[in-house]
Amino acid sequence: MRTDAPATSTHAERRRISLTGCVQGVGFRPFVYRLAKQLMLSGWVNNTPQGVEIEIEGAAGTIDLFEKQLQGEAPVHARIHTLNSQRVAPLGVVGFEIRESAASGVIGTIPPDLAVCAECAREIFEPQNRRYRYPFTNCTHCGPRFSILERAPYDRANTSMKCFEMCAACAVEYGDPADRRFHAQPNACPACGPQLQLWDAAGRTLAQRDDALNAAAAAIQAGKIVAVKGIGGFQLMVDARSDSAIARLRERKHRDAKPFALMFPLLDAIRVECEVDTLEAELLTSAAAPIVILQRSAASRLPEILAPRHPTLGAMLPYSPLHILLLDALKAPVVATSGNVSDEPICIDEHEALRRLAGLADLFLVHDRPIVRAVDDSVVRVFAGREMMLRRARGYAPLPIRVGFTLPGITAFGAHVKNSVAISRGDEVIVSQHVGDLETAEARAALETTLRDLPRLFEHEAELSAADVHPDYASTRLALRTGAPVLVQHHYAHVLSCMAENELQAPVLGVAWDGAGLGLDGASWGGEFLAINASGFERVAHLRPFLLPGGDAAAREPRRTALGVLYEIFGTEVFERTELAPVQAFSAHERMQLLTVLSRKVNTHETTSIGRLCDAVAALLKLCPVSSFEGQAAMLLEFAIGEVATDASYAMPLRGTIVDWEPAVREILADLSDHVSVALIAAKFHNALVEAIISVARASGQSAVALSGGCFQNKYLTERAVARLRASGFTPYWHRRVPPNDGGIALGQILAAARSLET
């Protein structure tokens, strides 16, 4: 787009400025254009696959000011990682232009999807505005990015919006430097952009445009389950105030007790139901607009069935104009859960949704803007005064994680549950959006799609690949079929992931606690203390092992795990202790079978897992004999603490390299016998786990301690560990931008593979 005719000029200097970072899809070129015009500089700006390139001509002092303002006044969602400026020969032309994007080179940062901005949100409620009630309103500051991008750079022709030709009015906005839609790639309006339809379960159109939205809202109010096609995929929505609608959704989705995420019309509506501090409010209203895990308020009147036995609720605000209009019509919160059956990836295509959500959704609110890739809602929780990512997807992916040193080209296949994959590039690791658990054929297909999509999008060619050492992980099996990956021990990857996002160098003491991961000795690990050195790790301590009767069944039945723990202490006589909850949980016949299993070590395996130990204690306290979803028992054990505040702790001594849990379990049994409250027992147990960390940290001689693994999703455990480590003279590090759970494993695998090349 030319703005001035060329003319001769006596400008003294010209510079070529190359920028990398998140500088596409965030209004950066329009910002550069306006800044150059304001300072009366000439030249051009364009998108390149690696970022943004500028040539700027004028007086040297003015160009210095241009570079300063370029970095200090960039658009709010822009992130400049590098700025390289070099002098080139002046051309003697005036005027400034936005040029067509360069089509080749190394791909730069790709922007995530951004929540609707305040200006666009206001426009859709202005009757005189031509975008009044238009559910696909956006500008350079907001709207879909990653979910509609087919290839880089981020230009309309490279997105799924290419099939919508801008009308004359939208084209004027797109070409006007004074308009905030100047070069807004998804720009559209009711005359030329995507449109809504409401379908029945057979795919027949019931209503269109605004009528479709209003009919969908009425259906939700009437107790129906409506599948809504959002930015990154379908969501299933029901009235969050209706016990019967929620119960029907649980039954159809096969989700017995796992909490549902809620979408509220306004922040004030969330404050009615939840306690919201300053940082939580900032997260809720941010451009990422994640689900934020909040403490439920005492005044909350929402049904218990939303999050059975949980004192928290996962809340988010409407992040697209479609959601804003729908929630405005409802004037009430809705369940907004992923559009899938449990363990399957979310649906992104309306015809696919008709098939996969058949019998689940009553109606389908769809639109004709194609979704290029599934991007689920992100989930965060505030820990120790800062956010911690629990699921990384919309609003965050695929922003890179910078590690502080140059990496070779590596592809990481991730873990089996909460899977994400990653690729390395320079000093960055690009972690994919959340893929999910790989239990179903659909989920494994989604993994393969993501492994093709991410390298293609970034034009990444790997020198090597990395996967988990567990041969039965679907991700590992795929990696082995497609090459010869570096096989990385699971807990080593956890610690390296934490180190990477904190830009930590060895030596570090890593505390890797989770439910299970295959150890180098072939056993199931999960309560690990790893001394990270320059080339690898040493397992310097771990939880005392115990047996899991029934193998993997014990992960679903904490009562089995508890019997394994008690058997380690009492042997066969444990089955005579019928006063104990885990023993009571089985019939006499079942107890005889379990006795045989444990005494003969048939269909059992040994574990050092803190996650399983937490399950065992939860079963002892009658909190969760059988789990209906992963981590449920440990969550209920954390929540059981309630408002108890104590520094009292059970004994969990370090004996050589073994953290011995037996004294703690014996004390728990004594407290149960003395009718000590479950809340106090739960607090003392968590405190014992923290004191075990302190003991090993002191014995290790390391000052830096990295906390990683799914157990550190536990707010009480993490916050107490951070506080006690600091008080004891150590420097704790924990996760923020990457999940501590298996969603962060791919990042650690990248680092492990890179380290393997150095040895």
Side-chain angles (χ1 to χ4, degrees):
M1 181 195 66
R2 194 95 195 164
T3 57
D4 295 282
T8 59
S9 171
T10 58
H11 288 166
E13 187 171 307
R14 188 177 184 92
R15 295 181 201 170
R16 179 176 295 133
I17 302 170
S18 300
L19 302 109
T20 66
C22 189
V23 288
Q24 294 184 18
V26 290
F28 200 86
R29 287 178 302 168
F31 157 71
V32 171
Y33 177 93
R34 287 189 287 268
L35 180 59
K37 299 291 283 185
Q38 175 189 329
L39 297 176
M40 293 184 290
L41 296 168
S42 64
W44 51 263
V45 60
N46 73 346
N47 278 343
T48 67
Q50 60 266 32
V52 164
E53 189 166 75
I54 304 165
E55 282 202 11
I56 196 80
E57 188 167 333
T62 308
I63 295 178
D64 289 340
L65 178 61
F66 174 83
E67 289 190 7
K68 181 178 179 181
Q69 291 184 241
L70 199 63
Q71 298 176 83
E73 300 176 13
V76 63
H77 303 309
R79 297 291 182 272
I80 297 173
H81 291 164
T82 64
L83 184 153
N84 180 54
S85 178
Q86 58 182 348
R87 292 185 182 183
V88 295
L91 298 180
V93 297
V94 295
F96 196 87
E97 64 177 328
I98 295 179
R99 288 186 170 179
E100 291 296 318
S101 299
S104 63
V106 178
I107 304 300
T109 297
I110 290 171
D113 300 305
L114 300 173
V116 62
C117 68
E119 291 90 345
C120 287
R122 184 181 66 250
E123 283 180 346
I124 63 175
F125 288 110
E126 295 174 343
Q128 73 279 10
N129 195 291
R130 70 190 189 92
R131 290 187 175 84
Y132 176 59
R133 296 190 62 79
Y134 183 57
F136 304 98
T137 299
N138 66 84
C139 69
T140 54
H141 304 303
C142 67
R145 295 328 193 236
F146 183 47
S147 62
I148 63 170
L149 187 63
E150 295 175 344
R151 61 186 179 276
Y154 177 68
D155 288 326
R156 189 182 184 98
N158 295 335
T159 74
S160 62
M161 283 297 295
K162 67 181 183 294
C163 54
F164 298 95
E165 183 177 351
M166 280 187 282
C167 65
C170 285
V172 167
E173 294 170 334
Y174 186 86
D176 181 2
D179 197 290
R180 78 173 195 281
R181 293 190 171 91
F182 182 46
H183 279 249
Q185 305 307 333
N187 191 32
C189 74
C192 64
Q195 301 295 340
L196 287 177
Q197 290 187 336
L198 185 68
W199 291 356
D200 66 13
R204 293 183 292 255
T205 301
L206 303 177
Q208 299 185 62
R209 299 190 176 222
D210 205 37
D211 290 342
L213 189 144
N214 291 327
I220 292 171
Q221 288 173 327
K224 300 291 186 182
I225 300 171
V226 178
V228 178
K229 186 182 179 184
I231 287 180
F234 275 82
Q235 295 164 311
L236 296 166
M237 291 191 174
V238 299
D239 188 338
R241 303 164 300 176
S242 170
D243 288 78
S244 59
I246 300 164
R248 190 163 56 254
L249 178 60
R250 286 203 177 280
E251 180 183 4
R252 293 183 184 180
K253 193 174 165 72
H254 309 303
R255 187 166 171 166
D256 295 338
K258 191 174 183 180
F260 281 133
L262 305 177
M263 183 177 283
F264 290 81
L266 299 166
L267 181 59
D268 284 345
I270 298 179
R271 287 192 166 113
V272 171
E273 304 293 339
C274 303
E275 298 172 11
V276 185
D277 67 19
T278 301
L279 178 54
E280 290 164 340
E282 289 175 0
L283 288 165
L284 287 163
T285 57
S286 70
I291 299 166
V292 182
I293 306 300
L294 301 169
Q295 190 71 22
R296 188 167 180 158
S297 71
S300 175
R301 294 294 179 267
L302 289 175
E304 170 71 11
I305 193 174
L306 286 168
R309 302 171 68 190
H310 279 236
T312 59
L313 291 172
M316 62 179 152
L317 288 170
Y319 51 81
S320 76
L322 170 59
H323 290 107
I324 288 176
L325 291 167
L326 189 58
L327 270 290
D328 179 69
L330 289 164
K331 301 289 193 294
V334 294
V335 169
T337 189
S338 302
N340 58 8
V341 178
S342 292
D343 295 328
E344 290 187 2
I346 58 173
C347 298
I348 61 172
D349 175 80
E350 47 270 34
H351 299 286
E352 172 199 26
L354 284 176
R355 175 180 58 82
R356 287 179 49 203
L357 303 180
L360 205 169
D362 298 310
L363 296 170
F364 295 78
L365 183 62
V366 303
H367 58 77
D368 55 351
R369 181 178 68 203
I371 298 172
V372 174
R373 64 187 51 81
V375 186
D376 218 325
D377 294 318
S378 294
V379 182
V380 302
R381 191 178 183 187
V382 172
F383 280 49
R386 72 184 199 191
E387 72 270 25
M388 178 187 279
M389 191 71 55
L390 302 181
R391 183 170 74 194
R392 188 175 186 269
R394 180 186 50 76
Y396 299 93
L399 291 175
I401 306 298
R402 305 190 77 194
V403 299
F405 53 90
T406 302
L407 295 158
I410 305 168
T411 298
F413 283 63
H416 187 76
V417 299
K418 298 180 174 63
N419 178 272
S420 64
V421 303
I423 58 175
S424 60
R425 186 186 59 170
D427 66 345
E428 299 175 339
V429 177
I430 298 153
V431 182
S432 77
Q433 72 276 27
H434 170 81
V435 176
D437 297 353
L438 305 180
E439 291 295 324
T440 64
E442 291 83 359
R444 293 188 287 275
L447 169 64
E448 294 191 39
T449 297
T450 306
L451 282 163
R452 289 192 300 270
D453 177 57
L454 198 66
R456 179 194 58 78
L457 197 57
F458 287 90
E459 295 185 358
H460 168 79
E461 291 189 11
E463 300 170 39
L464 71 163
S465 60
D468 197 278
V469 296
H470 201 304
D472 293 332
Y473 281 6
S475 52
T476 302
R477 293 199 302 268
L478 179 60
L480 290 168
R481 286 203 306 271
T482 55
V486 176
L487 297 179
V488 182
Q489 200 282 320
H490 190 84
H491 301 93
Y492 181 39
H494 268 310
V495 178
L496 290 181
S497 173
C498 185
M499 290 173 62
E501 75 156 305
N502 285 287
E503 295 191 32
L504 273 179
Q505 297 298 314
V508 171
L509 175 66
V511 183
W513 287 1
D514 62 6
L518 185 65
L520 297 182
D521 58 0
S524 175
W525 290 7
E528 310 310 309
F529 297 86
L530 308 180
I532 309 299
N533 54 47
S535 59
F537 73 94
E538 179 186 357
R539 190 189 191 200
V540 294
H542 59 83
L543 193 69
R544 176 180 164 184
F546 54 90
L547 292 175
L548 294 176
D552 291 342
R556 300 184 295 273
E557 297 183 38
R559 59 185 183 173
R560 287 177 177 267
T561 304
L563 281 179
V565 167
L566 295 171
Y567 181 82
E568 182 73 16
I569 300 174
F570 301 113
T572 58
E573 74 173 75
V574 68
F575 291 98
E576 300 169 14
R577 301 282 298 271
T578 54
E579 80 280 6
L580 299 177
V583 180
Q584 294 172 358
F586 293 98
S587 68
H589 177 67
E590 289 170 327
R591 290 199 290 267
M592 290 300 296
Q593 289 180 319
L594 287 165
L595 172 59
T596 301
V597 164
L598 284 165
S599 60
R600 296 182 182 177
K601 294 188 178 180
V602 177
N603 191 25
T604 66
H605 62 252
E606 207 170 55
T607 187
T608 61
S609 168
I610 293 287
R612 297 290 82 84
L613 182 64
C614 290
D615 287 356
V617 173
L620 281 170
L621 301 183
K622 299 183 179 180
L623 294 172
C624 188
V626 177
S627 296
S628 64
F629 62 89
E630 185 205 4
Q632 183 183 21
M635 288 181 188
L636 294 176
L637 184 62
E638 175 194 355
F639 298 151
I641 297 170
E643 300 301 316
V644 167
T646 181
D647 290 326
S649 172
Y650 295 123
M652 200 172 287
L654 177 62
R655 306 189 196 279
T657 62
I658 304 297
V659 174
D660 189 359
W661 44 260
E662 181 175 336
V665 173
R666 286 185 179 274
E667 290 178 49
I668 289 170
L669 294 175
D671 276 353
L672 283 171
S673 179
D674 291 340
H675 305 291
V676 173
S677 73
V678 167
L680 182 56
I681 293 173
K684 289 167 68 177
F685 173 71
H686 280 81
N687 293 352
L689 294 176
V690 172
E691 293 312 305
I693 295 174
I694 303 300
S695 296
V696 177
R698 285 175 176 151
S700 74
Q702 301 296 341
S703 60
V705 181
L707 308 173
S708 190
C711 290
F712 291 104
Q713 296 175 113
N714 181 316
K715 182 178 174 71
Y716 182 96
L717 177 68
T718 301
E719 292 186 336
R720 186 170 181 88
V722 167
R724 286 286 294 121
L725 283 164
R726 285 174 173 164
S728 302
F730 301 97
T731 305
Y733 297 89
W734 64 104
H735 288 267
R736 181 176 186 172
R737 296 168 295 158
V738 175
N741 58 46
D742 283 6
I745 284 289
L747 172 59
Q749 289 173 346
I750 294 274
L751 272 292
R755 283 167 144 246
S756 73
L757 295 178
E758 300 171 3
T759 57

